[in-house]
């Protein structure tokens, strides 16, 4: 991350992992022969595998990105969490001196690593089974891989390639009004809470967490 003021940096591993689990769709960027290849991939995090954990996911076999991974191409997976517009009208200080402008709050995690591709059927089946179990868990009647005909699953597995990224470095940025006085932060919480949307309430909770002593 090219711009990360210390007061916005988040280094707690559990906090970083929690955002990845809650917002698993990453913007995955691979550097290949001077070109940036950008894809949007849902990843699972194996937190206990490797020094900093390992991300696993898959792409369509027709997607050329996986063929660009044999050269040790560097990559970053960007996970974006809660975000919200912040109005200067929410700052009590605006009424006193007027020195306030709009901004945007957000929380994001960057996972850096050298990706690897795999197409072993057993590993792919395990991967899609785990993905299914995680994302179907909230359904009243969770779909399972075994619900589909075996020959159909086999054809689907042949159409994908697995991606594995042993994470070398995590970078977290929580831009949630830490640079504002306490009164302004409380104003942001009140303003977001009044909006009542899921995104606004999520950001209000993050601002409130960072406002606590």
């Amino acid at each position: 991350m090219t711009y990360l003021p210390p007061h916005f940096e988040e280094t707690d591993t559990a906090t970083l992992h929690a955002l990845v689990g809650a917002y698993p769709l990453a913007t995955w960027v691979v550097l290949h022969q001077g070109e940036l290849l950008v894809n949007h991939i849902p990843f699972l995090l194996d937190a206990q595998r490797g020094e900093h954990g390992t991300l696993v996911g898959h792409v369509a076999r027709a997607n050329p990105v996986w063929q660009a991974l044999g050269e040790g191409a560097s990559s970053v997976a960007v996970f974006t969490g809660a975000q919200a517009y912040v109005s200067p009208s929410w700052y009590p200080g605006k009424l006193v001196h007027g020195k306030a402008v709009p901004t945007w709050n957000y929380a994001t995690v960057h996972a850096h690593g050298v990706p690897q591709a795999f197409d072993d059927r057993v590993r792919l089946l395990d991967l899609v089974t785990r993905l299914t179990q995680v994302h179907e868990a909230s359904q009243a009647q969770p779909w399972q891989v075994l619900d589909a005909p075996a020959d159909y699953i086999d054809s689907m597995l042949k159409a994908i390639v697995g991606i594995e990224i042993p994470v070398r470095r995590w970078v977290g940025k929580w831009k949630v009004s830490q640079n504002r006085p306490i009164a302004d932060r409380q104003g942001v919480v009140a303003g977001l809470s009044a909006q009542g949307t899921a995104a606004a309430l999520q950001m209000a909770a993050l601002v409130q967490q960072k406002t606590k002593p």
Side-chain angles (χ1 to χ4, degrees), residues 101-117:
V101 294
T103 191
W104 206 281
N105 277 3
Y106 58 88
T108 186
V109 172
H110 294 187
H112 295 261
V114 176
Q116 305 160 3

Side-chain angles (χ1 to χ4, degrees), residues 86-197:
V86 175
S87 171
S89 65
W90 297 340
Y91 300 150
K94 173 184 174 293
L95 299 176
V96 179
H97 48 66
K99 297 178 181 179
V101 294
T103 191
W104 206 281
N105 277 3
Y106 58 88
T108 186
V109 172
H110 294 187
H112 295 261
V114 176
Q116 305 160 3
F118 64 90
D119 62 357
D120 176 81
R121 182 189 182 282
V122 173
R123 290 177 67 186
L124 287 173
L125 180 59
D126 175 69
L127 170 59
V128 298
T129 298
R130 291 169 58 204
L131 278 167
T132 299
Q133 290 172 342
V134 169
H135 298 300
E136 287 283 327
S138 62
Q139 300 297 316
Q141 295 182 316
W143 182 85
Q144 303 178 62
V145 173
L146 294 178
D147 289 347
D151 58 345
Y152 176 74
I153 293 299
D154 282 339
S155 68
M156 292 293 97
L157 292 177
K158 291 175 182 177
I160 63 174
V161 174
I163 302 296
E164 185 172 277
I165 307 175
V167 179
R168 291 184 173 181
R169 179 166 57 98
W170 292 100
V171 180
K173 185 175 183 179
W174 261 239
K175 182 182 177 296
V176 293
S177 301
Q178 301 99 312
N179 58 325
R180 304 299 307 184
I182 294 294
D184 285 356
R185 298 190 210 179
Q186 292 171 339
V188 171
V189 172
L192 290 169
S193 298
Q195 289 186 339
T197 65

